Amino acid sequence: MKPLIYPVLTALILLAAPSQAQQDQPVVVELFTSQGCSSCPAADEMLAELAEREDIIALALHVDYWDYIGWKDPFGDPAHAERQRGYAAVGGRRSVYTPELIVQGQTDIVGAKPMKLMDAVEKHAEAAPRVALAIIRSGDAVQIEAEPLAAASEPMHVHMLRYSPMERTKVTRGENAGNLMEHSNVVQDWQVLAEWDGSAPLSLSAKAEGDLPVVVIIQRQEKGGPGAILAAARSK
């Protein structure tokens, strides 16, 4: 039997269809998770619900720092843990943990808390856009066009990543031993394509071989790590 949080989350998701503005400016939800963490499956299932929405870009970033307890997460990446530590540094937090959700690069949520998560998503969806972003995918090429909507220029990174829509793993050791674990939108191949200060429109192209979805994120770069996500776009 599923815990009560799942009907609650489903009800929240189905309350209303996303507006066109929300669809044009999707909110990014990053989940830092691990197959070695017994508290993570509830958050993994929450992310699977969010992955169905067009107004949210839900991303699962598997970390590697749980591997020592007996199970090596096949999707764990030290770069994901480094990104999480960067968020902690910018937010003034002394430690990292799983599961942790980061909404739009700004709001951190510990564990599976659907009401708090949806409040954060709603808040960021209503914020005025700072950057207009469009991506066009043609074969193995991705064309990225961005334009600042605010006068002030600021240091930003242009990120591109791929994700696998669904992965299943039979875990044989560690805290989740014996479980068949399902993960939605598992992040792969995260890279920083360029730095941009927003003083002029941006136009660049990148290579994206294969048929996995592509996500482009424009994110403020703070001292110590990533800051607010100013725009995001996806091509499935």
Side-chain angles (χ1 to χ4, degrees):
M1 181 179 294
K2 291 182 179 180
L4 289 176
I5 61 169
Y6 303 125
V8 171
L9 179 59
T10 302
L12 286 168
I13 290 172
L14 296 176
L15 275 176
S19 68
Q20 186 62 44
Q22 288 174 319
Q23 292 185 45
D24 291 342
Q25 294 288 335
V27 174
V28 177
V29 176
E30 299 171 68
L31 170 63
F32 293 92
T33 185
S34 172
Q35 290 183 355
C37 162
S38 62
S39 301
C40 287
D44 294 334
E45 192 160 349
M46 277 178 51
L47 196 82
E49 297 273 5
L50 297 180
E52 301 298 319
R53 292 179 58 155
E54 291 299 320
D55 60 325
I56 293 173
I57 298 177
L59 303 172
L61 289 89
H62 287 240
V63 298
D64 64 341
Y65 51 78
W66 280 96
D67 291 356
Y68 76 96
I69 64 171
W71 176 255
K72 182 177 173 61
D73 189 326
F75 312 113
D77 190 328
H80 298 165
E82 182 180 354
R83 180 170 173 83
Q84 188 185 22
R85 285 191 289 269
Y87 275 131
V90 171
R93 299 183 294 277
R94 294 186 177 182
S95 59
V96 295
Y97 42 79
T98 57
E100 181 184 24
L101 293 146
I102 302 287
V103 182
Q104 205 67 356
Q106 299 167 74
T107 305
D108 73 297
I109 299 168
V110 184
K113 297 178 180 175
M115 296 292 289
K116 189 172 182 180
L117 172 60
M118 297 316 299
D119 284 346
V121 168
E122 213 171 291
K123 171 189 170 184
H124 290 293
E126 292 172 352
R130 300 289 302 277
V131 172
L133 172 65
I135 63 174
I136 301 170
R137 192 173 179 185
S138 178
D140 292 338
V142 177
Q143 183 65 30
I144 301 164
E145 304 289 339
E147 186 172 351
L149 299 177
S153 60
E154 53 193 326
M156 292 172 277
H157 280 173
V158 181
H159 303 261
M160 188 177 79
L161 61 103
R162 317 293 296 279
Y163 66 79
S164 173
M166 174 58 68
E167 294 286 349
R168 295 177 177 87
T169 304
K170 178 69 173 181
V171 177
T172 60
R173 296 185 302 278
E175 293 188 354
N176 290 308
N179 293 333
L180 177 64
M181 302 192 72
E182 295 188 346
H183 305 286
S184 298
N185 294 10
V186 178
V187 168
Q188 305 175 11
D189 190 32
W190 190 304
Q191 54 185 307
V192 177
L193 296 180
E195 295 183 2
W196 182 46
D197 66 4
S199 61
L202 172 77
S203 179
L204 60 90
S205 59
K207 184 176 288 188
E209 298 178 348
D211 58 0
L212 291 180
V214 173
V215 175
V216 173
I217 293 171
I218 295 182
Q219 187 166 26
R220 183 181 293 129
Q221 185 61 23
E222 305 285 357
K223 183 179 180 180
I229 291 175
L230 305 178
R234 166 174 51 193
S235 174
K236 294 183 177 180

